[in-house]
Amino acid sequence: MNLTDDETLKFLRGTPILLDDICAIYPSKMGEIVDIGYSKFQQYLELLTLTTPLTQHLQDKELNEMLSKMSSFQYILLLASCDSQIHILLKEAFLFFTHENVIFSLEPAQIIIGPSSEKHIMNEEKFYDFQKILRRMCFIEQEGEEITINPDDSPTVVALKKKMLLNREKVRKAKAKKAAQEKNDLKFSDLIASITINNCGLNMENIWNITYYAVHDQLKRMGWRDQFDINNRAALAGAKLKKNQLKHWMRSIASSDKS
C-alpha cells in the first residue's frame, strides 16, 4: 500500500485516514499524547506495529518453536487472549488511534472494530495495511520493501521473512539509539520546547494542537535547513564540499530516509 501526498497532508492537518469500511485512523495531536503520557503512547505504538514474535530469549524450546511459526497478527491475537494486561493495553491502543472499541478473536482470526453488529472486520491482510499507515503516520521509518507473511507461504519462506523482519527491527533500534546519542539523549519534551523558538509560529500554547507527524516533519526540516545554511556558508568561504552536502533543505520527506 503506497501512501499518497493526499494522505501525508492529512497526517499534517490531523484528518483521519479511512481504511476501507473497517475503521478510521486518527493522527495523534500533541495534546492528546501528553494527556495519556508519552511513555504510554510509545507502548501503544510498539504493540500495534509489532512485526514478529519476540522469541529469542525464551527458554521453552517448544513454545519458542510454536511462536516462531506465527505471523505478527496471530501473535498479537494470542497475546490479547492470554495476557490480561496486554489485552487491556491493546484495546486502549486501538481506541486511541481508531476511536473505537475492539474485540479480538482467535477463531476466526480477526479483530472486530466497533459494535459487532456493524461487522467492521479487520483480517490479517488489513491489519498489515493498518500497520503501514500507522508507521508512516507516526514517523516510524521502515526501510526497503514491506515484508508481509502470507497464509500460503511455505515454512521456509516464513522462516526467512521472520529473520529479515527481526534483522530489520534490530537495525531500526540501533539507528534510533545512535540518533538519540547524537542528540545528547534529548528527551521528547526538549525537542518540543526547541521547536517553539524556531520562529515558525509555534509556541507553548498552540504546539499542542499540531500532530505528532507534523512535529517530526518540522524537526527533520529544521535539521536540513540548518545543515544547508552551514554548508552553503562554508562553500561560499571556499570549502570544497560534496554535491549531496549542498542538497537544498526544501525536499520530500517520503524520499529522505536514506539522506
Side-chain angles (χ1 to χ4, degrees):
M1 174 183 287
N2 295 319
L3 298 176
T4 66
D5 189 47
D6 287 341
E7 288 165 318
T8 302
L9 288 169
K10 290 180 179 180
F11 295 164
L12 288 167
R13 186 177 184 273
T15 302
I17 301 291
L18 296 179
L19 179 58
D20 297 335
D21 63 344
I22 299 171
C23 66
I25 308 169
Y26 291 80
S28 310
K29 299 289 182 70
M30 290 310 305
E32 296 170 337
I33 294 172
V34 170
D35 288 343
I36 65 165
Y38 183 58
S39 57
K40 180 61 72 72
F41 175 74
Q42 289 180 307
Q43 283 184 299
Y44 290 169
L45 283 180
E46 186 175 355
L47 269 179
L48 293 181
T49 61
L50 188 71
T51 55
T52 185
L54 305 176
T55 62
Q56 61 269 35
H57 299 303
L58 293 177
Q59 298 298 318
D60 189 324
K61 292 184 179 180
E62 187 175 340
L63 179 60
N64 198 326
E65 184 178 352
M66 181 191 77
L67 293 178
S68 67
K69 295 177 181 178
M70 286 186 171
S71 66
S72 55
F73 182 68
Q74 294 169 332
Y75 183 56
I76 283 175
L77 292 180
L78 179 65
L79 288 176
S81 66
C82 297
D83 190 313
S84 59
Q85 289 185 328
I86 292 183
H87 180 90
I88 292 171
L89 198 61
L90 276 168
K91 286 179 72 71
E92 289 178 358
F94 272 102
L95 180 61
F96 183 77
F97 286 107
T98 70
H99 297 185
E100 295 281 2
N101 289 308
V102 299
I103 299 172
F104 303 104
S105 168
L106 278 173
E107 291 292 340
Q110 61 186 22
I111 300 172
I112 303 169
I113 311 290
S116 56
S117 60
E118 296 182 5
K119 297 182 179 181
H120 298 299
I121 306 298
M122 181 181 289
N123 59 21
E124 186 159 357
E125 179 184 359
K126 292 302 176 183
F127 176 71
Y128 296 139
D129 288 341
F130 172 81
Q131 284 189 320
K132 292 174 190 177
I133 294 171
L134 197 58
R135 287 192 192 100
R136 176 80 179 274
M137 184 181 284
C138 295
F139 244 83
I140 300 174
E141 294 180 351
Q142 187 81 358
E143 293 186 357
E145 294 183 5
E146 197 72 28
I147 300 172
T148 301
I149 298 175
N150 303 306
D152 56 349
D153 284 341
S154 68
T156 302
V157 171
V158 170
L160 178 61
K161 286 184 175 180
K162 283 183 179 291
K163 186 174 182 179
M164 292 169 66
L165 286 167
L166 185 59
N167 289 337
R168 180 175 289 182
E169 183 65 12
K170 288 180 179 178
V171 170
R172 186 189 69 78
K173 287 183 177 180
K175 285 187 174 182
K177 184 177 180 180
K178 181 181 178 182
Q181 291 172 342
E182 289 174 349
K183 292 178 181 177
N184 298 318
D185 293 324
L186 289 175
K187 295 180 180 179
F188 194 60
S189 56
D190 297 318
L191 299 177
I192 293 296
S194 298
I195 292 180
T196 61
I197 61 171
N198 192 45
N199 298 321
C200 60
L202 292 172
N203 54 53
M204 284 301 177
E205 290 186 359
N206 62 24
I207 195 169
W208 314 112
N209 296 321
I210 70 173
T211 64
Y212 184 75
Y213 182 92
V215 167
H216 280 278
D217 178 275
Q218 290 297 289
L219 285 170
K220 181 164 271 193
R221 293 184 191 280
M222 281 170 55
W224 289 344
R225 185 192 60 190
D226 291 346
Q227 193 62 53
F228 175 79
D229 288 344
I230 292 169
N231 290 342
N232 194 42
R233 287 197 296 270
L236 291 174
K240 293 184 179 181
L241 301 176
K242 295 179 181 179
K243 185 177 180 181
N244 64 351
Q245 290 181 285
L246 289 173
K247 189 175 183 179
H248 199 273
W249 60 269
M250 189 180 296
R251 58 186 190 261
S252 169
I253 285 285
S255 60
S256 67
D257 292 344
K258 297 181 181 180
S259 62

